[in-house]
Structures are given as structure tokens and as C-alpha cells.
Amino acid sequence: MAGSKTYYLTTPIYYVNDVPHIGHAYTTLACDVLARFMRLDGYDVKFLTGTDEHGQKVEKSAQAAGVDPQAFTDRVSQNFRDLVGVMDYSNDDFIRTTEPRHVASVQALWTRLVEAGDIYLGSYAGWYSVRDEAFYGTDELRDGPNGKKIAPTGAECEWVEEPSYFFRLSAWQDRLLAFYDANPDFILPPGKRNEVVAFVKGGLQDLSVSRTTFKWGIPVPGDDAHIMYVWLDALTNYITAVGYPQTEGGEFAKYWPADLHMVGKDILRFHAVYWPAFLMAAGLQPPKRVFAHGWWTIEGQKMSKSLGNVIAPETLVKTYGLDQTRYFLLREVPFGNDGDFSHAAMVRRINSELANDYGNLVQRVLSMIGKNCGAQVPQPGPFTEADEALLGRARALLGTLRAEIGVQAFHKALDAVWAVVGDANRYVDEQAPWALKKTDPARMATVLYVLAETIRHLAILTQPVMPAASSRILDQLALGPDARGFDRLGQGGALVPGTALPAPQGVFPRYVEEPKT
């Protein structure tokens, strides 16, 4: 695909101190849908995910488990790699920060920052949260029980004093603000952009970027007594994966700057302040966008191990189905907002929107074609105004979806798809092809053709969100792998009358509650 349009997107790399939960699944799902959409739209896509494996928290967790940190991270990283199969993600690479390619990349970036005069040796005294792997100012903390200091995230902080290398973040305040002004869509959604701008305008302190009190990390080049601050290490994964420090030719030249870093709102500051400053100081371009999405609660409560309400993605898939889970997570809440997972909401979406609206449309149209048109794509006659209106709405969907997906408004994209599903169902009721069978068979054939062609558009466009279900619908329309890209939408890829169709089968079963015993 030389010379083609490229698109590089990343998830945050997940911290290996826990098992994957619904929040991890959600972030990677959003990226997977975007990656699949762009591939179908003709882009050469690189989609990266992976695990963040260094830092004091990992070292402590490994000690508590009675294993060395590398063995600990090997085991926990595999849980995140397994999630790829559970959720049917289509990532092109999976990076681990313990890999040799990453160590070389981070040390090369450090050397560039030193050469630029943006790193100096000093000493650090201040509040540090092991859980967040983050430093906090006194003004950000509140008093907790037993004299503890508590970070805004709820994590306990401890006072740390040690020699440290510093990054001259304070020198980048004006340049960061100028960068935000010049790139208004660099941070989305807009409310999060406003938070970051306010934080930077409030003044930036130089950032401690090394530690000496533990050893599980990447050594500072030329000073093995120090290991690099885990966030400088972790953020660099995004350029490691495209071949840094090799910047001429190869994947770096092809894909960097990244089109999108998808992150949870709790790590926005690291991605939208520290990361562009590191990159610009090293003479590299910042990414084009950082999108901060919201958090999930479970049945109205915050997820927590103590409440026992943390839901594993495998449980969702086993209980409700894979495509149903993927659909619900991206349809239930405006992307960027916080959302609540509830069993009742999931069942409502499965039964109302997937089974009744979309599934029933496909099933009854294809069943009527099988029964009344010799199991072949019907031969249409002249199109009426109503026919043209429905086909027009189906053909216009791609433009709408490009615009919504382009700003990560996945919920609005699905709203637009379901508006056409609703239009098609109303068209069936208004045209009543079962009655036309007796009074005007030729008109019935035209109506069923229009509906089949509408379903073709819907199935092609829902592939990124529900790949398996969409594939089964396209199979039932006898469309091969080369007929499923967005370039086949519209009249150019229209169904060919007379094409034999297989016997239709239901795609979206209703969710039936197990009887309580």
C-alpha cells in the first residue's frame, strides 16, 4: 500500500499490577473500532496496544507475590494479550516496556533530551504516590486517616527525598500553550482540553524523571544508580513501536506523528502535557490528538475489588455475546463521558435494538426473498420516491460516519446507523411486500431489492463494531471478502439480481433470563 493514506492509533499501555477489567476492554475496543473503520475506508493502519511493566508499584507487587519482577510481568502481561482474543481486537502490534527494542528507544530519547539541555541533575523532595506513579504538589493533597496525605485520585502519598534528574518542564509552558492554540483539536473532548490548558496556565514545575530508591526500571544512560521515571519510560512506547530511534525511512517516517492516542481521563495530563513537551524537546513532532474517555461504574457503583463488582470482559462475552458486548459499550454512553454498566440496560439494548430492530429487519427481508424470489436477489423495477429516499439515506451513512468517527463520537455514529434501521423497518410496514405478493409481484421484488440493498449498506458499515455478526449478514447476501470495503458502498457495489442467496439464519438472538432456582 505504498503511498496510501496512513493512520496510527494507540491505546494506553496497561499497567501490569492487575487483571483486565471492563475499563481496559472499553479503551481498546474504541481503538479497534476506529482501526477497523479506517482499514475498510482504504487506510494503511497501525494499531498498537501493550503493557507498561516498570516502576515501584510493579516491584512491590512482585515482592508480595514472591516472584521476581520479570516473571511477574510475564504472567500479568499475558492476561492483556489474552484479552485481544476475548474481545476480537485487530491490533497490529503488542508492545511490552521490558522488551529490548523499548529499552534502546527510551535510552536514545533520554540522550536526545540531555543533548538538548532539557535534563539536569538535582535532588527531589516531595509527595509521591506509588499507586499512581505520580508526583503531587502539596496544594493538590488532602489529609487522610492516620496523618496520611491523599492524592486527588484517592491514592496515598509518601514523602520522598532522593537525588533525581529533572526535565525542564517549566521552560515549555508558553510553547505548550502556543501548541494548544495552533492545534485546537489536539485534546478531545473539549472539556478535557480546557482542563489541560488551565493546568498549564497555572504554571509548570520541572519534572523529576529518575528514581534511585528502587531498581525495577530502565537505567539512565551513563548513570546506573538512577532508573528512569516510569512515565518517561511508558510514554516512549508509542515511538518505540514505529522503530525509534530510527527516524529515516521505515515505520517512523511512515506513521509518526500518531493520529490518535486514546487514554482514560485519569492519565490525560501525562499524555497532553509531559509527552508533547518531551517530544518537542527531542525535536520530534507531538501526536495529532489525545482523546480522554470516561470511566465505567457498575450498577451505579464505582468498580472496586472490595465491593466485588469488577467485571471481567470474558464474563460479559460469555453472558451476553461478543458483538452484543462490543455494541453496548460504544452505544450506551456518549463517548468521552462516564458511563454505567447495568444488566438491565444491556438486555434492553440486545433485545430492543439488536434483536427487534436490526436482527428482525434482516431476518424478515431475507426470509421473504428466500420464500418469494426463488432465494435469489430480486430483479427491481423502476424506483419510486420512497425507494430512492431509503436508498439515499443508506448511501449517505458513510459520510456521516466518517465525520462522527473522525472525532471519536462512536455513539453518534451508531445513532445514525440505527436511524436508517428505523427508516427501513418503517418502509417495510408502509410497503407491505407480503400484500404486494398477491397484488403486484413486480413491485414486491423492487421493495425487497431496496431493502436488501439497504441491509448491505448497514452490514458493511457495522463491521467495525460487530465484525462477526456483520460478516454473517454479508454471507447471507452472498458477498465475498472483496465486496465488503467502503469502496463498494453506493451503486457501484450494488447487489446483482439473480445472485443465489443461502437460507437466512438469525444473527441476533434475544437475551432470555435464566429462571431463578
Side-chain angles (χ1 to χ4, degrees):
M1 296 178 75
S4 68
K5 305 173 289 186
T6 61
Y7 198 88
Y8 179 31
L9 75 162
T10 71
T11 72
I13 49 171
Y14 300 114
Y15 208 54
V16 291
N17 67 321
D18 211 345
V19 293
H21 57 62
I22 187 174
H24 303 115
Y26 182 57
T27 315
T28 311
L29 172 61
C31 290
D32 181 62
V33 169
L34 190 50
R36 289 174 181 272
F37 186 93
M38 300 309 276
R39 289 190 198 105
L40 287 165
D41 209 11
Y43 284 76
D44 176 349
V45 172
K46 185 174 177 74
F47 166 24
L48 174 71
T49 189
T51 46
D52 175 9
E53 303 185 11
H54 289 130
Q56 191 174 2
K57 187 162 50 171
V58 171
E59 189 174 81
K60 285 188 171 185
S61 296
Q63 287 168 353
V67 295
D68 72 88
Q70 187 64 58
F72 178 82
T73 58
D74 287 348
R75 186 181 76 224
V76 185
S77 178
Q78 188 61 42
N79 293 333
F80 286 91
R81 202 180 281 271
D82 292 344
L83 182 62
V84 169
V86 169
M87 293 295 295
D88 192 18
Y89 298 141
S90 62
N91 53 293
D92 302 290
D93 196 356
F94 187 101
I95 191 165
R96 299 181 57 190
T97 55
T98 48
E99 292 178 50
R101 62 172 171 163
H102 183 65
V103 174
S105 172
V106 178
Q107 290 184 326
L109 181 66
W110 180 283
T111 302
R112 286 280 290 271
L113 295 175
V114 170
E115 289 169 352
D118 277 294
I119 285 182
Y120 64 91
L121 182 61
S123 62
Y124 178 78
W127 294 100
Y128 185 74
S129 160
V130 174
R131 193 187 85 183
D132 296 344
E133 299 283 9
F135 302 98
Y136 290 103
T138 305
D139 59 336
E140 295 183 274
L141 305 177
R142 60 181 170 84
D143 293 328
N146 304 318
K148 300 279 189 184
K149 292 293 184 184
I150 307 298
T153 59
E156 287 186 1
C157 293
E158 57 189 42
W159 185 261
V160 174
E161 294 188 30
E162 60 183 311
S164 177
Y165 285 93
F166 285 83
F167 174 74
R168 296 185 196 278
L169 187 62
S170 60
W172 286 89
Q173 180 173 339
D174 291 343
R175 283 175 282 188
L176 283 168
L177 291 171
F179 174 72
Y180 303 148
D181 280 345
N183 298 276
D185 291 334
F186 170 64
I187 302 163
L188 285 180
K192 296 300 175 192
R193 180 185 188 278
N194 297 339
E195 287 176 20
V196 170
V197 170
F199 172 75
V200 175
K201 282 183 174 176
L204 296 176
Q205 305 293 316
D206 287 354
L207 183 68
S208 172
V209 287
S210 75
R211 303 292 307 275
T212 59
T213 50
F214 62 98
K215 291 296 178 192
W216 183 239
I218 295 177
V220 167
D223 192 346
D224 286 355
H226 290 253
I227 60 159
M228 291 185 214
Y229 173 45
V230 69
W231 273 103
L232 176 57
D233 165 359
L235 289 162
T236 305
N237 91 89
Y238 303 128
I239 54 175
T240 299
V242 288
Y244 188 81
Q246 174 61 46
T247 57
E248 301 299 319
E251 285 203 332
F252 189 93
K254 184 179 186 182
Y255 292 115
W256 194 260
D259 292 273
L260 177 71
H261 293 324
M262 183 72 76
V263 301
K265 63 182 182 179
D266 53 323
I267 55 172
L268 177 59
R269 183 185 301 182
F270 303 102
H271 285 81
V273 180
Y274 302 168
W275 182 226
F278 294 155
L279 288 166
M280 289 191 283
L284 303 173
Q285 285 181 276
K288 295 175 188 174
R289 175 170 301 158
V290 177
F291 192 106
H293 67 72
W295 291 339
W296 283 88
T297 51
I298 307 295
E299 303 287 355
Q301 292 185 301
K302 188 176 177 182
M303 272 192 287
S304 83
K305 282 192 247 182
S306 59
L307 288 174
N309 68 345
V310 178
I311 299 182
E314 304 95 289
T315 304
L316 290 178
V317 171
K318 189 175 176 185
T319 305
Y320 304 107
L322 174 56
D323 281 351
Q324 289 86 341
T325 297
R326 289 172 61 105
Y327 172 79
F328 175 85
L329 290 176
L330 291 181
R331 183 86 198 272
E332 179 67 5
V333 294
F335 196 74
N337 292 6
D338 291 342
D340 182 58
F341 174 86
S342 77
H343 170 72
M346 173 71 99
V347 171
R348 190 164 56 249
R349 295 237 182 233
I350 290 173
N351 288 347
S352 173
E353 293 164 15
L354 293 179
N356 289 1
D357 295 347
Y358 189 21
N360 189 43
L361 170 70
V362 174
Q363 179 80 1
R364 63 178 177 161
V365 168
L366 295 182
S367 294
M368 281 188 277
I369 290 174
K371 192 174 171 184
N372 302 318
C373 304
Q376 295 179 347
V377 174
Q379 177 69 54
F383 290 145
T384 66
E385 192 176 321
D387 302 341
E388 294 284 10
L390 181 58
L391 288 170
R393 285 193 286 273
R395 291 168 184 159
L397 262 180
L398 177 59
T400 303
L401 266 55
R402 278 178 176 149
E404 301 296 6
I405 298 273
V407 290
Q408 291 71 63
F410 301 102
H411 58 293
K412 289 186 179 178
L414 286 168
D415 287 347
V417 169
W418 253 255
V420 175
V421 170
D423 290 338
N425 277 312
R426 282 186 290 277
Y427 172 89
V428 176
D429 294 339
E430 289 161 6
Q431 301 297 326
W434 52 88
L436 291 169
K437 179 186 175 185
K438 297 172 187 169
T439 61
D440 193 343
R443 176 64 191 150
M444 174 199 71
T446 302
V447 167
L448 292 175
Y449 181 87
V450 168
L451 285 163
E453 184 62 5
T454 301
I455 289 168
R456 180 179 77 89
H457 280 74
L458 293 168
I460 287 174
L461 289 166
T462 52
Q463 288 178 101
V465 178
M466 299 181 287
S470 301
S471 178
R472 289 199 295 276
I473 295 169
L474 292 166
D475 288 345
Q476 294 182 52
L477 291 171
L479 294 168
D482 60 343
R484 300 182 178 194
F486 292 169
D487 59 329
R488 300 307 299 273
L489 292 166
Q491 289 163 286
L495 294 168
V496 177
T499 304
L501 300 181
Q505 295 178 324
V507 175
F508 296 111
R510 290 180 61 79
Y511 182 90
V512 180
E513 296 282 358
E514 294 286 330
K516 290 186 169 64
T517 53

